[in-house]
Amino acid sequence: MDYKKSKAPVNTVTRNIMDLSDETGNIYESVAIIAKRANQISVQIKEDLSKKLAEFASYNDSLEEVFENREQIEISRYYEKLPKPTLLATQEFVDGKVYFRDPSKETDAEGTEFDA
């Protein structure tokens, strides 16, 4: 998902718990799915930010030479203004864009249940 174009709110939104538990039938399962997706989004955002900031990395070990780079500051501010990963993950879950499965409920080719 392109988190930059997400319609997730920037601020916290009060949600109906029953709406979140509709798809899984269990609110705790829904929260666990959202949490795992939020971790994935967080890692992805961090990697993207690290790649962009690596371009401005200075390899001098001198503390006296501190450079203020306007582009670097603008990139950092842009990422700070993005919605938090938990809000992005919750919006994806509500929109039905999160794929999840429960291995304990899967069936094999004959249609019988098995434990994974």
Side-chain angles (χ1 to χ4, degrees):
M1 171 178 184
D2 191 12
Y3 54 85
K4 298 172 187 174
K5 297 178 183 176
S6 174
K7 296 177 185 174
V10 178
N11 296 324
T12 305
V13 175
T14 304
R15 301 208 184 256
N16 186 356
I17 293 176
M18 299 313 291
D19 291 342
L20 290 177
S21 65
D22 282 346
E23 197 164 337
T24 61
N26 185 341
I27 186 63
Y28 301 107
E29 200 173 323
S30 297
V31 169
I33 292 166
I34 292 170
K36 288 180 183 180
R37 180 63 183 137
N39 286 337
Q40 292 172 348
I41 292 171
S42 177
V43 168
Q44 182 182 8
I45 289 173
K46 187 173 181 177
E47 287 175 357
D48 289 347
L49 179 60
S50 295
K51 286 179 187 176
K52 289 184 180 183
L53 292 180
E55 298 172 6
F56 302 106
S58 173
Y59 297 106
N60 297 339
D61 291 337
S62 175
L63 292 175
E64 297 168 358
E65 297 179 16
V66 177
F67 296 104
E68 186 175 306
N69 193 336
R70 185 160 306 281
E71 292 90 14
Q72 185 178 3
I73 293 171
E74 289 176 11
I75 290 171
S76 296
R77 284 188 181 157
Y78 173 76
Y79 277 91
E80 287 174 2
K81 291 179 182 179
L82 285 176
K84 303 296 180 210
T86 51
L87 295 173
L88 290 167
T90 304
Q91 188 65 42
E92 283 183 4
F93 185 79
V94 168
D95 292 343
K97 296 179 180 177
V98 177
Y99 170 76
F100 61 92
R101 62 184 180 88
D102 187 358
S104 65
K105 295 179 183 176
E106 289 183 1
T107 58
D108 61 5
E110 288 88 33
T112 58
E113 291 188 12
F114 64 96
D115 293 326

